[in-house]
Amino acid sequence: MTFAHSDARLSPAERADLLLREMTLAEKCAQLVGVFPWSLIGPDCSDAAGAEDLLRTPPGHVAGLTCDDPARLALLAGAVQRQYVTRTRLGVPALVHMEALNGFMVGGHVVFPTGTGLAATWSPDLVEAMTRLIREQMRRTGVRQALAPVLDVALDPRWGRVHETYGEDPYLTAALGVSYVRGLQGEDLRTGVVATTKHFLGYGLAEGGVNLSAAETGARRLRDLFGYPFEAAVRLAGLRSVMNSYGDVDGVPVGASREVLTDLLRGTMGFEGFVSSDYTTMGHLVDRQRVADDPAQAARLTLHAGLDVELPTEWAFGAALAKEVEAGRVEPRDLDLAVERVLRAKFELGLFENPYPQESIDVTAVAQEGRELSLELARRSVVLLRNDGTLPLAPGSLRVAVVGPHADAVTLQFPTYTYPAFREMTTRMARGELGNAIGVETTMASWNESVFPPREAESFLREQYGATSLTEEIAALASAVETEPGCALTTELDAEALDRAVAAAEAADVVVLALGGASLWFNSARTEGEASDSADIALPASQVRLAEAVAATGTPLVAVLVQGRAYTLPRAVAEAAAIVVAPYGGPFGPKAVAEVLFGVTEPTGRLPYTIPRHVGQLPVYHHQRNGTGRRNPYPPAVPQHYLDMPATPLFTFGQGLSYTDFTLGGLTADTEVDTTGTATIAVTVTNTGVRAGATVVQLYLSATTTGVTRPAQQLGGFARVELAPGEARRVEFRVAAAQLGCTDLAREFALTPGTVRFFVGLDSDDRALEGAFELVGERRVLTSTQRAFLSETVVRDA
């Protein structure tokens, strides 16, 4: 039978409307839920028990489909789609989703540095190149929705998920997020993959730094700060899906908040895609937040709020939702809107014409894809924060002691939301070693035994990814290397371990002290990760003791901090001869660090977050509002904000050193700009050193609005510039006035005439060049379509 919606000449909206008319109530409700693959097929692609019943009203989404081999994944995804296309009444294909935070979370694909590592590169172009590759990898295996990127603005390093984000700044997050979505979705979604930004909204402001907690913030800050990157992705990249936050805003869980998911997201920001629930959101409303009594009430609240899809499996939507519609407790129009959004996305993706994965996949070739890009991103993510001249080390002439829990570690480079970490967590949980996790069923055990055959973690990483340790990479560049862990990540080792580490330090010409954190999923020693938050952000006590003992030897000390968020540092580390910060870099993280230590590559990374002196300073992000925190003027006769320490950070946002020197000069800027116009600010950056290198020229803006406090400064543009010794380049920032609006006293998003101050520097505290311009003309109330989000940057010959 041929249905009217099969006509590919019609628009996706027209086809979705026609298909919606053909659907029964049960079929509509089923489009809004997910299912795990083992409920449909076995590991050999045969029908699972009960599959026939499921296919009578097939769930619209498939969750958790992953394995070690992309060719096998394609077979599994193809088997599912054949069930849907050939054995269901309407033949509506499934939308299969998977995580893709820093690489497609399926075995056999390259892993890239984690979120804050990508942010430390300040390289939106490379992030877009990364997601163009991820798009190809996902499409060939039949996965057409990515649960990424994370656009939460992370202001509190106690929160364990900071490493998934692009850091503390809304502008940098927007720039990278827009590039991510563009690369993944492409210019035409028929050749793209749906991006799902998360977590809308305020998730990075979890109260007390505790995951899932409420975001205590007002409506202005919610839109102007936390909503900034999401709105930019909607307007500049055509974002097609959003995932809700688990937390609540103004006392209402986001998943049940019409004010957030409909009025703000759709009405104000103009979002036209579908909202995917974070896994088990509806259950949280009943069991954790206690705003609903049962699945039926949770369904009524969330559907009316504007949440369209329940993931990973049916609990409140599906059959339970159908009963609520039949009983007249749910508006049929609310249901139809949600179903229409899902169907429209499937038509936009071209799923009805092309539902199947690629027929053959060269697994060996796939494993090599993106490795050079991953290495380049890892190189650019390494941040040099302190250097007394000890670095770069001379290749081939030094005895190096590599000491610390990260010295010889391979697994710690692969955090949550990478495939190796997911695989380890899932297989251990299926063996009953761990407590339950969000979205994981005990019934998946037999499936796991087939698709995840037992493998020792480190050998798996070395064989599948070519992963190496920091010690191995340093050994390739030093004359001699001795390594000792000295301590475990969070605990002491045997009584002699510290003594061996000290002895190694005493015998060396230089010590590389490899410290930091680890991000894992609910298992093993860790300092970060989902549901792995910290009240104290100091390095673990075992690492502090090791650092103090090694520093006492007097051997020059280079501290390497592998981390996904800020840690406060003991004096032994803070006063080391050199400090290098590196993210969880994937297979090439250690290589990138070693190359920077020995000057094989230049350090070009810049911090995407602030590093405080003490946890008591929090929050301490650079864009605090005028009159708040460290942006508060000192009272008379008071030398500093705190009695016991300065309120300034140890290292500030945007900071990073090089092995060469850069100067800024030649500032020119418009002095008057109309509220409908564009301000042009230009500077010359010169490499005044003897080595080639790259720096990030950063523009910071400060606008004021009558009656409303604004950020004392906000990032307004940046440019990564590579320069040979003695070379100069002209960097021009073109800032549309519409980039300077805010929610004003009238609760309108508006642009108000006044003075706009700015500075251009090499970090957020570097006021190398300062100026101001007058914003003149009429006050402008700006719709979302009239806003500007990212300045235009031009780099040319000086």
Side-chain angles (χ1 to χ4, degrees):
M1 180 177 179
T2 301
F3 294 97
H5 67 262
S6 300
D7 187 350
R9 295 170 299 179
L10 300 176
S11 71
E14 290 172 319
R15 297 178 74 182
D17 180 62
L18 289 169
L19 176 54
L20 188 66
R21 297 179 190 182
E22 297 287 345
M23 286 183 156
T24 66
L25 175 60
E27 286 169 335
K28 290 178 182 180
C29 292
Q31 280 298 307
L32 305 186
V33 298
V35 64
F36 284 127
W38 49 85
S39 298
L40 293 163
I41 57 172
D44 61 354
C45 297
S46 63
D47 276 8
E52 196 64 41
D53 289 338
L54 269 174
L55 293 173
R56 291 192 180 95
T57 51
H61 307 260
V62 175
L65 183 55
T66 190
C67 60
D68 287 349
D69 181 341
R72 185 176 188 185
L73 176 66
L75 290 175
L76 293 169
V80 169
Q81 292 292 27
R82 277 188 291 277
Q83 287 179 325
Y84 275 64
V85 172
T86 66
R87 295 168 56 188
T88 63
R89 187 177 76 87
L90 294 171
V92 180
L95 183 53
V96 183
H97 67 255
M98 182 42 64
E99 303 286 351
L101 173 72
N102 49 334
F104 185 22
M105 207 175 77
V106 169
H109 297 94
V110 69
V111 172
F112 298 95
T114 195
T116 48
L118 297 174
T121 72
W122 293 61
S123 300
D125 56 331
L126 293 193
V127 170
E128 186 166 340
M130 178 190 81
T131 54
R132 285 198 301 268
L133 173 60
I134 293 172
R135 181 210 317 171
E136 295 173 10
Q137 294 171 334
M138 295 184 76
R139 283 180 55 83
R140 73 164 66 106
T141 58
V143 181
R144 302 296 295 275
Q145 181 185 2
L147 304 187
V150 174
L151 297 188
D152 299 314
V153 179
L155 304 184
D156 192 333
R158 294 175 297 177
W159 183 46
R161 301 189 71 173
V162 169
H163 73 84
E164 300 173 37
T165 76
Y166 296 136
E168 72 179 39
D169 187 84
Y171 184 98
L172 180 60
T173 300
L176 296 169
V178 166
S179 291
Y180 185 108
V181 174
R182 279 178 175 161
L184 194 72
Q185 294 191 166
E187 295 182 2
D188 186 333
L189 208 57
R190 287 176 296 182
T191 60
V193 170
V194 167
T196 305
T197 56
K198 51 188 184 180
H199 307 82
F200 195 83
L201 193 59
Y203 193 53
L205 191 66
E207 188 173 13
V210 177
N211 194 45
L212 312 184
S213 295
E216 298 299 335
T217 188
R220 288 188 179 87
R221 196 175 182 216
L222 193 70
R223 188 208 177 170
D224 297 3
L225 195 163
F226 297 106
Y228 192 96
F230 291 90
E231 192 169 356
V234 170
R235 289 302 177 190
L236 301 182
L239 175 67
R240 302 306 296 149
S241 182
V242 163
M243 177 177 282
N244 68 279
S245 164
Y246 282 126
D248 61 71
V249 173
D250 195 23
V252 180
V254 171
S257 175
R258 188 172 179 84
E259 183 179 5
V260 174
L261 294 184
T262 295
D263 298 345
L264 176 59
L265 178 60
R266 299 188 186 280
T268 299
M269 295 183 177
F271 175 71
E272 295 181 347
F274 64 94
V275 177
S276 304
S277 83
D278 205 340
Y279 278 20
T280 69
T281 287
M282 282 70 157
H284 284 246
L285 301 185
V286 174
D287 300 328
R288 183 173 66 85
Q289 290 154 310
R290 300 183 181 182
V291 300
D293 294 329
D294 51 34
Q297 191 173 30
R300 296 196 298 271
L301 289 171
T302 52
L303 187 71
H304 181 67
L307 194 151
D308 301 308
V309 175
E310 179 180 23
L311 299 177
T313 56
E314 176 181 335
W315 188 73
F317 281 5
L321 177 58
K323 291 179 180 178
E324 292 301 294
V325 176
E326 289 172 335
R329 290 187 289 268
V330 167
E331 284 289 335
R333 180 57 182 157
D334 285 347
L335 172 63
D336 285 354
L337 272 174
V339 178
E340 187 177 24
R341 289 166 187 151
V342 170
L343 295 177
R344 188 168 70 245
K346 291 184 176 185
F347 283 117
E348 288 171 340
L349 286 164
L351 273 176
F352 286 80
E353 286 68 51
N354 184 26
Y356 298 114
Q358 189 170 301
E359 288 188 5
S360 63
I361 295 177
D362 186 336
V363 175
T364 302
V366 169
Q368 296 303 310
E369 291 176 339
R371 290 178 66 81
E372 285 300 321
L373 178 57
S374 180
L375 174 58
E376 179 60 20
L377 283 164
R379 286 168 171 158
R380 293 192 186 190
S381 72
V382 179
V383 183
L384 177 63
L385 288 179
R386 178 180 169 88
N387 186 21
D388 68 356
T390 297
L391 296 181
L393 305 175
S397 63
L398 295 172
R399 295 168 299 164
V400 181
V402 188
V403 174
H406 273 276
D408 212 23
V410 173
T411 58
L412 300 186
Q413 292 287 335
F414 294 82
T416 56
Y417 292 94
T418 62
Y419 180 72
F422 173 83
R423 188 186 198 278
E424 179 72 6
M425 178 272 291
T426 304
T427 54
R428 292 184 62 180
M429 192 164 292
R431 293 196 301 263
E433 296 180 17
L434 306 169
N436 208 12
I438 294 169
V440 176
E441 295 180 342
T442 56
T443 54
M444 67 191 279
S446 60
W447 171 277
N448 285 347
E449 289 174 3
S450 175
V451 299
F452 303 129
R455 294 291 303 274
E456 192 275 326
E458 180 160 327
S459 63
F460 177 77
L461 293 173
R462 290 182 179 277
E463 293 169 14
Q464 297 296 315
Y465 297 91
T468 55
S469 71
L470 183 59
T471 295
E472 290 170 303
E473 294 295 341
I474 288 176
L477 296 168
S479 64
V481 168
E482 184 174 354
T483 185
E484 288 289 344
C487 67
L489 187 77
T490 59
T491 59
E492 308 289 347
L493 293 173
D494 59 79
E496 292 77 32
L498 185 61
D499 294 338
R500 292 193 299 270
V502 169
E506 290 174 333
D509 297 316
V510 65
V511 178
V512 173
L513 184 60
L515 307 176
S519 165
L520 293 171
W521 250 313
F522 320 114
N523 60 285
S524 301
R526 62 196 185 279
T527 59
E528 304 176 39
E530 190 167 357
S532 298
D533 312 306
S534 300
D536 187 354
I537 60 169
L539 284 173
S542 59
Q543 296 189 40
V544 173
R545 183 175 177 226
L546 172 65
E548 291 171 345
V550 170
T553 66
T555 305
L557 181 61
V558 176
V560 172
L561 303 170
V562 180
Q563 58 188 50
R565 49 87 168 167
Y567 292 78
T568 55
L569 307 178
R571 177 176 294 181
V573 174
E575 297 179 356
I579 301 175
V580 170
V581 168
Y584 306 121
F588 303 111
K591 181 178 180 65
V593 170
E595 288 183 342
V596 165
L597 295 181
F598 284 86
V600 177
T601 58
E602 295 294 305
T604 64
R606 299 296 182 263
L607 279 181
Y609 49 76
T610 298
I611 298 180
R613 302 173 189 273
H614 188 276
V615 67
Q617 291 179 287
L618 300 180
V620 72
Y621 50 90
H622 83 92
H623 51 90
Q624 287 180 287
R625 294 189 300 276
N626 288 306
T628 297
R630 66 183 174 113
R631 304 305 181 189
N632 202 359
Y634 297 138
V638 175
Q640 60 186 30
H641 289 105
Y642 297 116
L643 291 175
D644 50 352
M645 69 178 65
T648 54
L650 185 63
F651 297 108
T652 193
F653 172 83
Q655 192 167 347
L657 302 175
S658 302
Y659 291 149
T660 188
D661 297 307
F662 298 95
T663 59
L664 296 174
L667 172 66
T668 60
D670 293 327
T671 57
E672 187 175 281
V673 179
D674 191 82
T675 54
T676 60
T678 297
T680 300
I681 301 166
V683 301
T684 298
V685 56
T686 305
N687 182 346
T688 57
V690 297
R691 295 173 64 111
T695 191
V696 179
V697 181
Q698 302 164 39
L699 169 66
Y700 292 88
L701 304 166
S702 177
T704 56
T705 299
T706 301
V708 175
T709 55
R710 301 285 299 274
Q713 62 185 55
Q714 54 193 106
L715 184 64
F718 63 87
R720 185 182 185 277
V721 185
E722 297 184 1
L723 296 169
E727 185 181 10
R729 300 279 278 170
R730 193 75 175 158
V731 179
E732 184 175 279
F733 298 102
R734 299 170 186 170
V735 182
Q739 189 178 318
L740 300 170
C742 75
T743 304
D744 66 9
L745 274 179
R747 294 201 178 277
E748 295 177 317
F749 194 90
L751 180 60
T752 307
T755 301
V756 178
R757 296 174 177 82
F758 67 83
F759 68 89
V760 181
L762 301 182
D763 63 54
S764 62
D765 280 353
D766 176 25
R767 295 176 174 269
L769 301 171
E770 297 187 73
F773 60 86
E774 290 298 318
L775 201 57
V776 299
E778 298 295 320
R779 172 181 177 269
R780 291 179 64 200
V781 176
L782 301 172
T783 65
S784 185
T785 56
Q786 294 170 320
R787 287 190 68 180
F789 296 93
L790 302 175
S791 59
E792 181 184 357
T793 305
V794 178
V795 180
R796 54 182 172 81
D797 293 338

